[in-house]
Amino acid sequence: MRILILGATGMVGQGVLRESLLAQDVSEVVALGRSPVGKQTEKLHEIVHANLFDLADIESRLQGFDACFFCLGVSSVAMPEAAYTHITYDLTLSIAHTLLRLNPLMTFVYITGAGTDSSERGKSMWARVKGKTENALLSLPFKAVYLFRPGVIQPMHGVQSRTLAYRLLYPLLWPFIAILRPLMPGTILTTENVGWAMLNAARRGDGDKVLESKDIYQLSQG
């Protein structure tokens, strides 16, 4: 498989990138983003592109992929709804439409979040916007669309969040997570689980699915 990853410098993206590079049935991983991921392997190629809203100059490098793992996103904290929508909805759909045109048989896997509001009418701004984004992606005729809604994710193998608050919080929570995760494997995921599940989604590519944490864990074990 040839895999395209967006958001490979974030916490989830780092974990997904690691598992994709380790997978024996993945021949190439291309990381597309505004900044380099800082890794060098024969299997990994990077496309550093400043304006992700305009991919015209790099379209020739975005063809022939079996799957896209879309891990790009921002925190909604202190963001106006219009600004959050521009990044979460507008950017995601702009990229998705381009990839669909270039790769009509692609499986598209999107990281959203637990509590996403599919009705688009709830009180939580981020949940409404994520729900709007999910619904729009499901309407696109990819080979398959998987919407991942993880809750708590434990970073593994040196993976770190780019958000300072999370980097400070995880070491404090680590002892509790280490105890609870074996008891609640379908509730507390690891970056390994998310990466394995995304790869299994790409291998199957069998229709549109919305996956909560327990579903993601089950798919990771498949």
Side-chain angles (χ1 to χ4, degrees), residues 2 22 51 61 78 95 100 129 132 169 183 189-190 201:
R2 295 185 68 235
L22 290 173
N51 183 8
R61 303 174 66 186
I95 294 172
L100 176 61
V129 176
K132 179 181 178 181
L169 186 61
L183 303 175
L189 302 172
T190 68

Side-chain angles (χ1 to χ4, degrees), residues 51-205:
N51 183 8
L52 296 179
F53 278 98
D54 184 1
L55 303 177
D57 292 344
I58 59 171
E59 283 193 0
S60 62
R61 303 174 66 186
L62 299 178
Q63 300 180 41
F65 287 96
D66 298 288
C68 172
F69 297 159
F70 199 101
C71 309
L72 185 65
V74 294
S75 171
S76 64
V77 176
M79 286 191 73
E81 183 166 351
Y84 184 70
T85 299
H86 186 58
I87 296 174
T88 301
Y89 178 84
D90 295 339
L91 180 58
T92 302
L93 269 294
S94 175
I95 294 172
H97 279 288
T98 298
L99 293 178
L100 176 61
R101 175 166 50 82
L102 300 174
N103 305 271
L105 298 181
M106 168 183 280
T107 295
F108 193 93
V109 187
Y110 178 67
I111 286 286
T112 170
T116 294
D117 178 15
S118 297
S119 76
E120 305 179 33
R121 296 191 298 269
K123 294 182 179 180
S124 173
M125 181 273 285
W126 77 265
R128 289 196 311 271
V129 176
K130 284 286 192 179
K132 179 181 178 181
T133 307
E134 282 190 355
N135 292 337
L137 289 173
L138 287 173
S139 72
L140 299 181
F142 284 105
K143 177 183 178 182
V145 174
Y146 287 79
L147 306 171
F148 279 32
R149 295 179 173 182
V152 179
I153 301 177
Q154 179 185 0
M156 305 286 286
H157 308 293
V159 169
Q160 286 192 334
S161 172
R162 298 181 67 182
T163 303
L164 178 60
Y166 291 163
R167 290 202 304 271
L168 297 175
L169 186 61
Y170 272 114
L172 299 177
L173 295 178
W174 185 275
F176 302 100
I177 292 175
I179 294 172
L180 291 175
R181 186 167 58 81
L183 303 175
M184 308 168 65
T187 303
I188 300 176
L189 302 172
T190 68
T191 48
E192 276 187 345
N193 293 144
V194 177
W196 295 340
M198 284 196 169
L199 288 164
N200 283 335
R203 292 171 181 130
R204 295 182 180 185

Side-chain angles (χ1 to χ4, degrees), residues 5 7-19 37 39 71 158-162 191:
I5 301 179
T9 59
M11 185 186 79
V12 173
Q14 291 174 52
V16 171
L17 174 62
R18 178 184 185 274
E19 303 312 322
V37 299
K39 292 181 179 290
C71 309
V159 169
Q160 286 192 334
S161 172
R162 298 181 67 182
T191 48

